[in-house]
Amino acid sequence: MGQVRTFIAVELPDHLKRQVDKLVVSLKPLAGGVRWVKAANLHFTLRFLGNIESDSVPALAKQLRKNLENTKPFSICLSGLGCFPNMRRPRVIWLGTGGDEENFKTLANEVESACRRCGYDKADKTFSPHLTIGRIKFPKGLEVLTENLQKIQFKSDEFNINQVVIFKSDLSPRGPTYTPMAKVVLES
């Protein structure tokens, strides 16, 4: 049937997408060479799968439902700013999380387990709860940006995580477009 570039994620509520977008707008003038994430594309990646057969998505969704059948919704907030690998050599700019991070990590582990049961290789990295807001294209002249990132005290209200989404990612010169292919609701 063909391959689709795929990842599994938690969507950010619209009101928080707008709040994060205001933050991004305030950071844009501080450095060129950063590709900022559009508000519509903000999400927490639980597992990047890359190119998979499109006809394997229903089986993956079924396995996710099975693995997550005892996972209850929980709340987290966005809290703090940082960079990977660090502020001295930034490559990714992120917002951290607060609240029920242990349940977030458990959710990610169950997603990883479902992927493994469906025959996908082990994830490249251990899950670290964060929301990517920018990627550094040119690592020069970022001092003003990183100084400001360390001063900003960002914290959102708590929000519920109550579903996991399998997304298709279409890449284009204008940036990626994400389309939901399946949703798995966490039962309360």
Side-chain angles (χ1 to χ4, degrees), residues 8-28:
I8 302 168
V10 169
E11 289 185 283
L12 200 63
D14 287 341
H15 73 281
L16 285 179
K17 287 181 180 181
R18 290 188 295 274
Q19 189 177 355
V20 172
D21 192 51
K22 285 181 185 175
L23 172 66
V24 167
V25 167
S26 73
L27 295 173
K28 280 182 180 181

Side-chain angles (χ1 to χ4, degrees), residues 30-174:
L30 302 179
V34 179
R35 189 176 69 231
W36 298 99
V37 176
K38 295 176 187 172
N41 288 347
L42 291 168
H43 65 273
F44 292 96
T45 302
L46 297 171
R47 181 65 153 80
F48 179 75
L49 292 168
N51 290 325
I52 67 170
E53 294 299 323
S54 60
D55 59 2
S56 68
V57 172
L60 176 59
K62 183 178 180 180
Q63 187 62 55
L64 282 168
R65 282 184 192 91
K66 185 174 182 179
N67 274 52
L68 299 175
E69 65 187 358
N70 294 318
T71 304
K72 306 281 184 234
F74 57 95
S75 296
I76 64 165
C77 66
L78 299 174
S79 180
L81 284 151
C83 294
F84 290 137
N86 56 52
M87 289 286 192
R88 289 183 310 283
R89 296 180 301 122
R91 294 284 180 236
V92 172
I93 303 166
W94 50 260
L95 279 166
T97 60
D100 200 345
E101 289 183 309
E102 285 308 310
N103 273 337
F104 208 179
K105 290 176 183 176
T106 299
L107 175 68
N109 288 338
E110 288 299 332
V111 167
E112 173 66 16
S113 175
C115 292
R116 297 291 305 243
R117 287 177 185 255
C118 288
Y120 297 103
D121 291 338
K122 184 178 180 193
D124 294 339
K125 300 175 188 170
T126 303
F127 176 74
S128 173
H130 71 281
L131 183 74
T132 298
I133 62 170
R135 290 180 177 81
I136 310 297
K137 295 188 295 185
F138 308 108
K140 301 239 187 265
L142 299 171
E143 295 79 16
V144 172
L145 175 64
T146 55
E147 284 173 21
N148 278 279
L149 289 176
Q150 294 176 58
K151 295 175 187 173
I152 295 171
Q153 300 294 315
F154 185 93
K155 186 165 184 176
S156 74
D157 293 334
E158 286 199 347
F159 59 96
N160 288 330
I161 293 180
N162 54 20
Q163 71 177 355
V164 169
V165 183
I166 302 172
F167 282 100
K168 174 174 83 162
S169 172
D170 292 307
L171 302 179
S172 77
R174 291 168 306 197

